[in-house]
Amino acid sequence: MNMHRWWRDAVIYQVYVRSFLDSTGDGIGDLAGVRAGLPYLKKLGVDGIWLSPFYPSPQHDHGYDVADYCDVDPTFGDLAEFDRLMAAAGRLGIRVLLDIVPNHCSSEHPWFQQALAAPPGSPARARFHFADGRGPDGEQPPNNWHAMFGGPAWTRITEADGRPGQWYLHMFTPQQPDWNWRNPEIGAEFDRVLRFWLDRSVDGFRIDVAAGLFKHPELPDSDDPEADARTRDSVNPLAWNQPEVHEVWRHWRAVCEEYTARDGSERLLVGEVSVPTGREHAQYVRPDELHQAFFFDLLSAPWNEDAFRKVISEAMQDIAGTGSTVTWVLNNHDQVRTVTRYGEPTPEGSGLGPARARAAALLMLALPGAAYIYQGEELGLPEVIDLPDDVLTDPIFRRTGSRDRVRDGCRVPLPWSGQASPFGFTSGTESARPWLPQPDYFAEYATDRALADTSSFWHLYRDGLQLRSNLPKLGEGTLRWLDTQPGVLAFVRGDGLVCAVNFTTTPVPA
């Protein structure tokens, strides 16, 4: 039945909750703010939303350090507000995906606190990766792995008797201990978590670090211990992309299909999968595993027609061949905003960034498959690159002291209206301060101005989304490349749609 296949060509809007819309005046976005913004998203024309983590958390990594997977942090509301949000989205026909974090939890999670209080070798510690250190007094970490956010991947604890004790593994920060998925208790616990939210009618899950979970059982040294910290990507084959992870996704797929059988509406699993090759990527979207996995190669491709053609062709060959559809992305909460990213690498500076971002958006929306849009991209928001050090909150900055690849600049709260901060983001007074400062120039990008200007980014996105809805098969099928002059990329879709992109800095003759 076609109703089961809604996800194949869906366009999903990523809501970074703390930066979307604040309903309480505390300067932090919340679930009630998301609910208030749903009509805006309906007008834009998206099929669904993906909510960043809103679970109870000490917020060391803005919610990706989860202390309780089955509740709402008071900063963002409560379960009753979540239910109101779900009901409002349902009335508007907007699907809702939750962000789930199965690779690690918060160091304040009750199970990790139990592990700290328990002795070495206890069942409580077996839920995580605890190990004795190396050296005469165990003063060296168990192996040479480094964390993706900087520093070693191990932290030593103090035992209950006050003596230096074992070490625990954390592939991101010490506040995010990795679960030990070789312990069956972990799989059973996440089965409970999935069902808790599926019973509240969610339409699926975006899975954080979906190539993670399992580590090599012997935790051996890495041949390139700095790889993860240097690239901030999952490149250590001993810590990521272990074969056992696929059994987890087969089980999760079966759980989702159990709920689909009840009401005929398919629940979606979309994974954050960072693996070296398209062929490995395709393994995650086999018919009995994840429905989708983000294809990051388009996001990382340089502004060059040959590079774009190569990554699109490889995706169509490797991923579409599994029976899934490619899941295209140009941005998310971890990446430099598209307008800035496409402007910086060129001698001309950032002036070409907006034009390139507009072209890339239409290209993505014309490709076969699904697409994900990060909030603010539809406004053409640039990266905020001059945030003072004292307001930066990204743990990468705190752990490395470097601003390189710090993610706060793409997370600045959205401007909705007005000429000065908070630009309608918060319901508080004009003196209310968003959790990250908004630059004065955000006034040019406010949603009320964007909606009124038919030449704005917002109208470009809206028109592209309307075209997709008017051509129901746009998200399916194949494409055929067209011969073009140098600097131009063009393809035709089976439904007669032609997409052409000018990668040069000058107009192309008709």
Side-chain angles (χ1 to χ4, degrees):
M1 295 175 62
N2 189 54
M3 62 182 296
H4 289 182
R5 307 281 92 183
W6 63 269
W7 52 271
R8 294 182 63 84
D9 61 352
V11 178
I12 306 295
Y13 184 97
Q14 181 190 354
V15 175
Y16 195 70
V17 176
R18 66 186 297 115
S19 296
F20 186 70
L21 186 59
D22 168 28
S23 72
T24 63
D26 65 357
I28 300 175
D30 47 51
L31 294 181
V34 176
R35 179 162 57 89
L38 289 177
Y40 164 81
L41 297 177
K42 179 66 174 180
K43 182 179 295 186
L44 182 62
V46 298
D47 300 301
I49 57 175
W50 145 31
L51 300 174
S52 62
F54 52 77
Y55 316 108
S57 165
Q59 302 293 319
H60 290 293
D61 190 20
H62 289 324
Y64 286 92
D65 49 323
V66 181
D68 182 348
Y69 288 87
C70 296
D71 205 348
V72 176
D73 193 291
T75 300
F76 304 119
D78 54 26
L79 284 171
E81 179 54 50
F82 175 81
D83 291 340
R84 287 190 287 270
L85 169 59
M86 289 297 304
R91 288 192 293 271
L92 292 172
I94 295 176
R95 309 270 184 171
V96 179
L97 308 182
L98 303 192
D99 205 325
I100 193 165
V101 189
N103 180 72
H104 50 267
C105 66
S106 167
S107 55
E108 295 185 18
H109 190 286
W111 279 11
F112 189 72
Q113 290 296 306
Q114 291 174 20
L116 293 178
S122 63
R125 289 200 179 177
R127 295 167 175 157
F128 302 91
H129 296 278
F130 278 86
D132 295 332
R134 298 192 289 194
D137 298 310
E139 71 277 7
Q140 297 298 319
N143 67 27
N144 64 355
W145 297 0
H146 275 68
M148 294 178 69
F149 288 176
W154 295 88
T155 290
R156 195 175 194 184
I157 69 167
T158 299
E159 301 291 356
D161 60 6
R163 291 184 298 179
Q166 289 190 305
W167 299 70
Y168 69 89
L169 179 69
H170 49 81
M171 293 304 299
F172 291 89
T173 72
Q175 293 81 23
Q176 295 167 290
D178 281 40
W179 293 109
N180 177 12
W181 273 83
R182 297 184 187 281
N183 184 332
E185 279 192 82
I186 308 307
E189 173 63 6
F190 275 92
D191 190 275
R192 181 185 73 87
V193 171
L194 291 181
R195 294 176 184 278
F196 177 87
W197 294 109
L198 289 168
D199 288 340
R200 298 189 101 91
S201 302
V202 302
D203 295 287
F205 302 92
R206 177 267 186 185
I207 304 166
D208 189 59
V209 196
L213 280 60
F214 287 86
K215 279 60 179 175
H216 190 288
E218 297 177 5
L219 300 176
D221 278 343
S222 170
D223 292 336
D224 186 3
E226 301 285 346
D228 288 340
R230 183 177 62 250
T231 64
R232 238 191 62 222
D233 205 352
S234 310
V235 295
N236 178 354
L238 303 170
W240 313 106
N241 201 25
Q242 294 284 299
E244 296 92 337
V245 75
H246 295 283
E247 289 301 321
V248 175
W249 307 140
R250 291 187 184 100
H251 176 69
W252 285 28
R253 179 68 173 259
V255 171
C256 286
E257 290 182 351
E258 175 187 328
Y259 280 79
T260 297
R262 297 181 185 179
D263 59 17
S265 180
E266 192 161 18
R267 274 50 168 202
L268 170 64
L269 297 173
V270 55
E272 180 195 33
V273 175
S274 296
V275 290
T277 67
R279 185 166 297 178
E280 289 170 290
H281 183 111
Q283 292 176 357
Y284 284 81
V285 292
R286 290 175 287 199
D288 62 342
E289 295 194 38
L290 304 179
H291 301 82
Q292 298 176 333
F294 296 126
F295 185 70
F296 294 119
D297 289 21
L298 185 67
L299 181 158
S300 59
W303 187 256
N304 174 287
E305 71 272 22
D306 292 333
F308 269 60
R309 179 170 179 159
K310 180 176 184 292
V311 300
I312 292 169
S313 296
E314 289 177 351
M316 294 298 295
Q317 175 181 326
D318 293 331
I319 298 169
T322 66
S324 180
T325 53
V326 185
T327 306
W328 308 101
V329 290
L330 288 172
N331 214 289
N332 61 36
H333 64 290
D334 290 331
Q335 304 296 329
V336 173
R337 285 199 176 274
T338 312
V339 164
T340 303
R341 193 172 75 241
Y342 286 146
E344 287 182 335
T346 65
E348 297 86 358
S350 61
L352 289 171
R356 291 173 171 176
R358 291 168 71 99
L362 290 181
L363 168 66
M364 178 180 71
L365 294 176
L367 289 169
Y372 281 67
I373 301 169
Y374 177 52
Q375 69 179 39
E377 290 293 291
E378 82 283 5
L379 302 175
L381 281 180
E383 185 87 354
V384 181
I385 60 175
D386 56 355
L387 291 169
D389 285 358
D390 61 355
V391 305
L392 295 179
T393 62
D394 193 331
I396 296 172
F397 177 71
R398 294 197 297 269
R399 286 182 60 77
T400 67
S402 170
R403 296 176 66 99
D404 183 42
R405 304 180 78 180
V406 167
R407 302 165 294 171
D408 290 280
C410 70
R411 301 176 177 184
V412 175
L414 294 184
W416 289 87
S417 61
Q419 299 299 314
S421 183
F423 298 112
F425 165 72
T426 175
S427 62
T429 65
E430 285 296 316
S431 62
R433 299 179 62 184
W435 71 277
L436 280 175
Q438 301 160 305
D440 292 341
Y441 63 77
F442 262 31
E444 303 171 24
Y445 300 92
T447 58
D448 61 348
R449 182 175 295 192
L451 267 66
D453 178 5
T454 57
S455 66
S456 69
F457 263 83
W458 190 91
H459 281 272
L460 177 99
Y461 270 90
R462 196 278 306 271
D463 292 348
L465 290 167
Q466 282 192 339
L467 182 61
R468 284 179 69 99
S469 65
N470 292 336
L471 298 173
K473 295 183 180 179
L474 189 60
E476 297 284 355
T478 60
L479 60 81
R480 177 170 56 86
W481 296 109
L482 299 176
D483 292 332
T484 62
Q485 64 191 78
V488 177
L489 183 71
F491 60 83
V492 63
R493 296 292 307 281
D495 45 29
L497 178 82
V498 175
C499 177
V501 180
N502 177 12
F503 282 84
T504 70
T505 60
T506 57
V508 175

